Amino acid sequence: MEKLFKVYIYKEGDIPLFHNGPCRSIYSTEGRFVHQMEKGNFYRTNDPDEAHVYFLPFSVVMMVQYLYVPHSHEMHAIGRTVADYIDLVSKRHSFWNRSLGADHVMLSCHDWGPHATSYVPNLFNKSIRVLCNANTSEGFNPSKDVPLPEINLMTGEVTGLVGGPSPSCRSILAFFAGRLHGHIRYLLLNYWKNKDEDIQVYDSLPTGTSYNTMLRKSRFCLCPSGYEVASPRVVEAIYAECIPVLISDGYIPPLSDVLNWKAFSVVVAVEDIPNIKKILMGISQSQYLRMHRRLKKVQRHFVVNGPPKRFDFFHMMAHSIWLRRLNVRVRD
């Protein structure tokens, strides 16, 4: 794949809405992938005839910033911009019409990414959509779409975020801290907040308490969905070497096609929130240690490097796109 895979990036579109993306925010994976691909050091080709996939370089995050009217709950301007862009490249080039978009790729870490693609039916139904909001109940199709990890890089770097103490130094059974976003978090906080010292759940951490320190003191880190299924807490847990506990409906975790998430994480159904302690206490010490060792092995696949390194976030996302492209037959 590293030697063969070729990506052509459409040159149409201007910054800030196109060829752009945030690198220092909760949406950082969108910007980091786009900027690394644009640099052209990996996979990119300037010859569209030798490309395996065609990258649509629009940024839903930047469209929200520049086109969305706050509190209007009106997303038509964003959807129309996406539709207009597809119309433009389909008229200037033959590649979209040849495959009806099946060998085309878009990427978005914004919650509205999936909805933005719905303005072009073939983009929604046929194209490879790389999305943080990988929710099967909202049309995410794991056979053609790629789950994108949500990583909150406030400084743009992973320095100080990756690594944690040994299992013997982790005194807290399970930890979560986050705002009351969505019904799953409401259930979690309602049942566990201030109820049990082993299950430390907060909507706001006490003054002087470090979030990252709590991650590193915990054996398991609870990762409930918010308003949408994706949460940066999954990768935060992986970075801190705290076993992630996924609590969601319809979420497809990143790299599920190559990683066995059951080997290094715990999945808890929403209806089992009251049983979290029982479930986690039922994991033996030897099983926990195996999960911890496996977590450390897969950690590198979620690390954002600059420049990219083999098997890191950037290359694993490229590999996930490559795997979906193998399922597409394009007629000349």
Side-chain angles (χ1 to χ4, degrees):
M1 190 273 298
E2 291 175 305
K3 294 182 179 179
L4 295 176
F5 191 34
K6 299 297 181 183
V7 179
Y8 178 77
I9 303 176
Y10 284 112
K11 296 179 173 61
E12 286 78 5
D14 298 318
I15 291 175
L17 302 186
F18 302 89
H19 306 280
N20 191 23
C23 294
R24 297 183 180 183
S25 76
I26 197 171
Y27 307 119
S28 62
T29 49
E30 178 176 319
R32 293 298 289 263
F33 186 88
V34 169
H35 286 297
Q36 288 297 339
M37 192 61 73
E38 292 269 359
K39 285 182 178 180
N41 295 327
F42 303 97
Y43 310 116
R44 184 176 183 179
T45 178
N46 289 315
D47 181 359
D49 291 319
E50 72 171 12
H52 299 100
V53 298
Y54 301 85
F55 188 73
L56 301 161
F58 60 82
S59 171
V60 175
V61 172
M62 303 310 294
M63 289 181 189
V64 171
Q65 180 177 337
Y66 286 94
L67 302 180
Y68 176 67
V69 178
H71 311 298
S72 68
H73 305 290
E74 175 59 70
M75 290 183 270
H76 290 321
I78 296 168
R80 286 195 298 267
T81 301
V82 172
D84 289 345
Y85 188 75
I86 300 299
D87 184 61
L88 174 66
V89 298
S90 67
K91 289 178 177 177
R92 288 188 178 180
H93 308 276
S94 63
F95 311 111
W96 176 272
N97 294 325
R98 182 180 65 183
S99 68
L100 298 180
D103 55 355
H104 284 58
V105 180
M106 63 76 62
L107 181 146
S108 176
C109 200
H110 198 279
D111 289 347
W112 296 350
H115 182 71
T117 66
S118 69
Y119 282 76
V120 183
N122 282 334
L123 178 61
F124 188 94
N125 295 312
K126 294 183 179 295
S127 297
I128 301 169
R129 301 180 304 157
V130 186
L131 301 169
C132 283
N133 190 8
N135 188 346
T136 56
S137 70
E138 296 180 2
F140 184 89
N141 180 357
S143 67
K144 75 169 190 69
D145 297 328
V146 176
L148 179 67
E150 190 170 297
I151 306 176
N152 192 3
L153 295 180
M154 298 305 294
T155 66
E157 304 295 334
V158 298
T159 305
L161 300 178
V162 180
S166 67
S168 62
C169 297
R170 296 174 181 266
S171 58
I172 300 170
L173 177 63
F175 165 70
F176 168 77
R179 296 177 182 175
L180 190 58
H181 290 174
H183 75 284
I184 295 178
R185 293 192 188 180
Y186 172 82
L187 294 173
L188 179 67
L189 286 159
N190 186 58
Y191 197 89
W192 288 107
K193 182 182 175 183
N194 298 326
K195 301 291 178 60
D196 193 310
E197 289 188 359
D198 290 330
I199 310 294
Q200 298 201 19
V201 171
Y202 304 89
D203 53 1
S204 179
L205 281 174
T207 302
T209 302
S210 164
Y211 178 74
N212 287 329
T213 298
M214 292 294 289
L215 291 175
R216 286 163 172 75
K217 290 172 64 176
S218 304
R219 294 163 67 89
F220 297 93
C221 288
L222 307 180
C223 305
S225 295
Y227 291 130
E228 298 294 348
V229 292
S231 169
R233 284 161 185 78
V234 177
V235 176
E236 288 170 352
I238 293 172
Y239 281 2
E241 297 169 9
C242 177
I243 306 298
V245 179
L246 309 183
I247 312 172
S248 66
D249 286 321
Y251 179 52
I252 305 297
L255 307 178
S256 294
D257 41 8
V258 294
L259 296 181
N260 177 14
W261 277 77
K262 292 181 179 179
F264 59 89
S265 70
V266 178
V267 176
V268 172
V270 175
E271 58 267 27
D272 282 331
I273 285 176
N275 301 319
I276 285 177
K277 184 172 182 178
K278 180 180 178 181
I279 292 170
L280 299 183
M281 291 293 288
I283 297 174
S284 68
Q285 177 68 2
S286 59
Q287 184 181 358
Y288 166 74
L289 292 175
R290 284 196 299 271
M291 295 176 73
H292 188 265
R293 288 194 297 270
R294 291 164 181 162
L295 182 67
K296 293 183 69 172
K297 287 183 178 180
V298 304
Q299 187 183 66
R300 64 174 176 162
H301 302 315
F302 297 89
V303 173
V304 180
N305 293 305
K309 299 178 181 179
R310 293 189 75 195
F311 306 111
D312 70 356
F313 152 77
F314 176 78
H315 287 290
M316 295 304 292
M317 287 298 101
H319 180 256
S320 292
I321 295 169
W322 163 258
L323 289 180
R324 271 68 175 182
R325 176 58 180 84
L326 295 177
N327 294 328
V328 176
R329 177 177 294 181
V330 179
R331 296 180 179 180
D332 294 329

